[in-house]
Amino acid sequence: MDVCQKKGPQALVFLLLVTGCLAPDSGQDMTSQSTSGPQSTQQTHQTRAPLNIDPAILQNRTFNEAPMFAEQVQQGKLPPVSERLPENPLVIVPIDDIGTYGGTLRRALTGDIVQTPGPSKTLNENLMGYERPFPRSIQLNLAEHYTYQDSGKIAIFKIRKGVKWSDGYPFTVDDILFWYYDMTFDDNARQNPFPPAGWMVDGKPMQFEKIDDHTLKISSPKPLGRVLQELSRELVAAPKHILSPLHPRYNPETNYDTFRRATTNAQMRLQPGLPRISAWVPTEWVHGQRIVYERNPYYWKIDTAGNQLPYADRIVFDVIQDPQVILLKFINGELDLIGRYTRIDMFPTLKTEEKKGKFKVRITGPNRGPAYHLNWDDPKPALREAFRNKNVRIALSHAINREEINEIVFHGLLEPSGYSFGPISPYFSPEAYKKYSEYDPDKARRLLDREGYRDTDGDGIRELKDGSRFELTIDFVHPGGMFNGQPVSELVADHWRSVGIKINLNGALRNIIVPRRYNSEYDVHYWGLEGPNDPLTYAIGWAVLAKNVPYWHQKAWDEGPDWLHEATKYVRLAMTTIDTLKLRTYMTRVRDLHTENVPIITIGSAYHVWGANTRLGNVPYENVADNAFLGWSRPVFHEQIFIKNKKSNVKP
């Protein structure tokens, strides 16, 4: 069967995201067909590029390459492009046109070390990948073929033969096993205290096995219902030929401290010298100023005319701490793309300036949105007790005037909602989506009174059960870019104060606020990129899959509540089935449990404002700015974007 057969209406295509394009569990082996054909962007408009590549180009390997590489080939510094590309390169249909080589794509980050997700999401590659620009399906990427066996308990992935790291060294299954066993599941080598829950089944890691250099076997005691999602996110490989000499398992003269220092997020994503598999590789990193990435001579994708991608020679990230300065530089034509730090309040300015013709504004969504995470393990026992009270949480939700927030902060570009699955989920329920979201401060006051949180001394502030004031602090990232943490929190603070709760605001840099979140040192944490989402793309936020998750209740493993453990049971069942009927039953139950118990206070689903300089070609018309699908950056599809004023030097 085809890996992902085309679906009809957009309302149905998200089923593919959760099922991974799997058929119902018939007990038979399930096989995806290998193909050298193109990956379509599924755009609604008609591309002018060829929809299919001429088979003769693949057969004769008559590929084209960037002039900077052609010159190096002539000088003997690089092998010919036909030798640098794999036997079966991935073919991409450009959004609009066959592009032209050359030039620099200009982006901005508000930091470098604390903003590694920006370059990571932009450049990420994996065995599989979400369809771009809109994640209608999961598609082949570094893998050219996969097969399910034993009713889905075994998955066999065939990697494109001839893919190379950016230094020309072969990319093989050994690099995957090194990442999995020597980095991710080596407790001494791993950067984080716990292994990622997505690779665990019943508390034990999935098994990775090498069949040959280009064939990977993944197995589990239960069906691998979520393995395709995991293989669509961060790269599940690392250059063993470079990193193994730093690992004590391979070199007894080194130590784990040395290895961990060499494999931090910043080192793996920003530091020049370490080979990558991405379209561009870092060649310069000036801390606090900029990161420069140049094209990878061994990048393994081509367009439908046989031109090796990417089109742009380099991508540069300038470090600009203030999102307003980023906006100004974009408007002035000094940056090519803006979207990672855009806020809705930038929309009027962008629309006004768009008339000058330097850029085009795009609005996509709604998908992710703002949410308030109550700390169920708050350091203050009386506040912790309040947060664990369902009626208190319902009261906090009803006390929020979402329509006011929508009009004042989001300029009408927010879809108010409660805490449930969002519209992109195949298990979306309009009724559940709106539950507890009605603005009703009187009801909020009655609920708080009923639960014993009253103002007994007449000072306008309710008391907690220990007699102290019902007082909490809202954490948010500031400056917050697209998070909108300050203006939203100022309004929510007024709403909650009006029902008798004292609110303090704590806005600080990301590298201060985020550690407080993961260290459980906060009362309420605002995050502008979450809200309604599909649980199986971020399961650790919806289930107790390890002793430290979900982060809003890190003690849930031992302390409950029962409904969350019940939801966890169904999430685990959903992650280990390939029967779509059972999957719907499980996920509907998860949705209802979370919706009814409202553990997080959601404001709604926001539209996302972003833009691109008019000098760029092949800028997508659609986008989904959701962390589950690698944020705004990955769907922008940078490797097929080109600079239009460059002289054509590619095959038409």
Side-chain angles (χ1 to χ4, degrees):
M1 64 177 238
D2 290 340
V3 178
C4 293
Q5 296 179 358
K6 300 295 183 278
K7 299 294 180 182
Q10 182 169 313
L12 298 178
V13 296
F14 279 97
L15 179 62
L16 300 174
L17 295 174
V18 179
T19 64
C21 309
L22 300 179
D25 186 1
S26 62
Q28 303 295 319
D29 290 349
M30 291 160 287
T31 306
S32 65
Q33 299 299 319
S34 175
T35 176
S36 59
Q39 281 193 8
S40 170
T41 62
Q42 293 295 298
Q43 62 255 16
T44 56
H45 68 288
Q46 181 63 50
T47 179
R48 290 176 290 273
L51 296 179
N52 296 285
I53 191 168
D54 184 346
I57 294 175
L58 297 173
Q59 182 177 353
N60 300 325
R61 300 186 67 77
T62 51
F63 307 117
N64 193 26
E65 61 185 324
M68 62 184 291
F69 289 156
E71 183 178 345
Q72 293 181 45
V73 171
Q74 292 178 353
Q75 296 172 350
K77 297 179 180 179
L78 273 180
V81 64
S82 60
E83 297 177 16
R84 302 199 309 270
L85 285 167
E87 290 183 2
N88 181 23
L90 182 62
V91 183
I92 299 296
V93 182
I95 294 288
D96 285 318
D97 299 286
I98 297 298
T100 55
Y101 283 129
T104 299
L105 298 179
R106 302 165 300 172
R107 288 269 308 273
L109 299 169
T110 56
D112 43 17
I113 293 178
V114 297
Q115 286 290 312
T116 55
S120 177
K121 292 172 181 177
T122 301
L123 303 171
N124 182 71
E125 301 286 358
N126 210 329
L127 300 191
M128 307 296 293
Y130 291 109
E131 181 182 354
R132 294 181 290 169
F134 205 71
R136 294 183 174 95
S137 64
I138 292 177
Q139 300 183 327
L140 297 167
N141 202 45
L142 278 165
E144 64 178 357
H145 173 273
Y146 70 87
T147 304
Y148 280 97
Q149 300 175 1
D150 191 14
S151 296
K153 296 177 184 177
I154 295 173
I156 306 293
F157 292 88
K158 193 73 174 179
I159 299 168
R160 297 177 192 276
K161 189 174 183 181
V163 171
K164 297 179 176 65
W165 292 96
S166 56
D167 61 357
Y169 201 88
F171 175 89
T172 70
V173 172
D174 289 334
D175 298 306
I176 298 174
L177 298 185
F178 179 79
W179 171 85
Y180 193 73
Y181 288 112
D182 298 320
M183 296 178 66
T184 305
F185 283 95
D186 184 328
D187 293 342
N188 296 310
R190 188 174 57 246
Q191 295 290 328
N192 299 317
F194 298 99
W199 296 110
M200 308 288 285
V201 176
D202 290 345
K204 296 181 180 180
M206 299 176 189
Q207 294 299 302
F208 279 37
E209 181 181 345
K210 177 181 178 179
I211 304 300
D212 57 45
D213 280 350
H214 300 96
T215 309
L216 172 69
K217 176 182 177 181
I218 302 179
S219 59
S220 169
K222 295 182 178 179
L224 297 164
R226 193 171 178 263
V227 71
L228 296 186
Q229 281 88 347
E230 292 298 324
L231 291 174
S232 298
R233 297 182 63 78
E234 294 291 330
L235 178 65
V236 294
K240 181 179 180 181
H241 64 291
I242 298 295
L243 294 178
S244 60
L246 303 177
H247 198 294
R249 187 171 295 166
Y250 299 88
N251 179 7
E253 297 183 2
T254 190
N255 56 67
Y256 279 107
D257 285 340
T258 299
F259 185 80
R260 286 193 300 269
R261 285 195 299 270
T263 55
T264 64
N265 284 339
Q267 292 290 328
M268 297 295 287
R269 293 163 174 79
L270 311 181
Q271 185 64 46
L274 188 69
R276 271 75 172 189
I277 212 78
S278 50
W280 298 271
V281 298
T283 57
E284 178 186 356
W285 175 23
V286 181
H287 179 47
Q289 296 184 39
R290 68 181 174 277
I291 312 133
V292 178
Y293 292 81
E294 293 193 357
R295 63 167 67 251
N296 175 1
Y298 294 92
Y299 194 54
W300 37 279
K301 298 180 186 178
I302 59 176
D303 66 18
T304 46
N307 301 294
Q308 184 189 31
L309 297 174
Y311 292 129
D313 287 336
R314 61 189 59 81
I315 181 169
V316 174
F317 293 90
D318 285 325
V319 177
I320 304 170
Q321 294 185 0
D322 189 343
Q324 289 293 340
V325 177
I326 293 176
L327 173 65
L328 180 62
K329 286 183 173 290
F330 174 74
I331 289 173
N332 290 340
E334 299 173 57
L335 296 173
D336 289 316
L337 290 159
I338 188 171
R340 182 169 172 79
Y341 306 105
T342 50
R343 299 191 306 262
I344 295 296
D345 61 9
M346 296 177 177
F347 177 64
T349 301
L350 285 167
K351 286 303 294 182
T352 298
E353 295 291 330
E354 182 185 35
K355 299 173 184 177
K356 298 178 181 178
K358 289 184 179 180
F359 60 84
K360 287 287 186 181
V361 178
R362 283 170 165 74
I363 301 176
T364 54
N367 38 72
R368 60 183 176 180
Y372 286 91
H373 297 73
L374 311 179
N375 187 359
W376 285 51
D377 307 307
D378 196 288
K380 298 180 280 293
L383 192 55
R384 179 169 66 243
E385 180 184 5
F387 287 160
R388 294 188 183 190
N389 185 313
K390 173 182 170 181
N391 280 332
V392 171
R393 300 191 300 273
I394 294 173
L396 291 174
S397 185
H398 279 305
I400 296 175
N401 188 337
R402 290 169 173 81
E403 286 296 344
E404 181 182 60
I405 294 171
N406 181 26
E407 294 303 319
I408 294 176
V409 180
F410 291 92
H411 299 271
L413 296 176
L414 176 83
E415 188 174 277
S417 77
Y419 181 73
S420 187
F421 293 4
I424 66 173
S425 171
Y427 315 109
F428 171 70
S429 162
E431 295 77 17
Y433 185 58
K434 294 293 185 178
K435 193 162 190 176
Y436 303 135
S437 65
E438 179 186 5
Y439 177 51
D440 192 340
D442 290 335
K443 184 174 183 178
R445 295 184 186 99
R446 290 195 299 271
L447 285 169
L448 292 170
D449 287 343
R450 183 189 309 167
E451 297 304 315
Y453 295 97
R454 299 184 176 90
D455 174 17
T456 60
D457 58 10
D459 66 351
I461 300 174
R462 297 173 184 272
E463 286 86 44
L464 295 168
K465 295 297 179 66
D466 65 354
S468 64
R469 293 190 302 183
F470 198 142
E471 180 176 0
L472 59 86
T473 298
I474 298 175
D475 281 12
F476 57 88
V477 173
H478 180 75
M482 66 191 304
F483 295 179
N484 292 295
Q486 181 170 346
V488 176
S489 295
E490 287 174 348
L491 289 172
V492 168
D494 287 341
H495 301 158
W496 284 348
R497 288 180 187 126
S498 72
V499 296
I501 301 173
K502 180 175 174 53
I503 306 297
N504 305 306
L505 297 178
N506 178 36
L509 295 174
R510 183 186 181 118
N511 59 347
I512 296 174
I513 294 298
V514 171
R516 281 172 54 84
R517 175 173 76 174
Y518 289 118
N519 293 332
S520 197
E521 298 170 344
Y522 67 99
D523 295 336
V524 177
H525 176 92
Y526 172 90
W527 198 245
L529 309 181
E530 293 180 12
N533 203 343
D534 191 330
L536 289 188
T537 60
Y538 185 63
I540 61 172
W542 297 78
V544 191
L545 297 179
K547 287 195 173 183
N548 65 325
V549 296
Y551 75 78
W552 47 268
H553 189 9
Q554 296 184 26
K555 296 180 180 179
W557 187 280
D558 299 314
E559 299 182 8
D562 291 343
W563 71 263
L564 183 56
H565 281 283
E566 183 181 354
T568 299
K569 178 183 73 173
Y570 287 109
V571 167
R572 290 184 184 278
L573 288 170
M575 293 172 67
T576 55
T577 185
I578 53 177
D579 184 325
T580 55
L581 296 179
K582 290 181 179 179
L583 182 62
R584 175 166 292 278
T585 299
Y586 300 150
M587 295 314 299
T588 299
R589 183 58 178 155
V590 173
R591 180 198 70 203
D592 292 345
L593 284 166
H594 273 271
T595 301
E596 177 60 34
N597 288 281
V598 62
I600 294 170
I601 311 299
T602 298
I603 306 301
S605 300
Y607 287 84
H608 183 222
V609 176
W610 58 287
N613 193 297
T614 50
R615 79 187 191 116
L616 302 184
N618 288 343
V619 177
Y621 296 84
E622 296 178 300
N623 193 286
V624 53
D626 194 311
N627 282 339
F629 311 114
L630 300 178
W632 163 80
S633 296
R634 193 61 184 146
V636 169
F637 215 164
H638 292 69
E639 57 265 40
Q640 56 90 59
I641 290 178
F642 68 98
I643 288 88
K644 289 191 284 189
N645 59 4
K646 292 292 177 183
K647 183 178 179 181
S648 179
N649 45 29
V650 299
K651 293 179 180 178

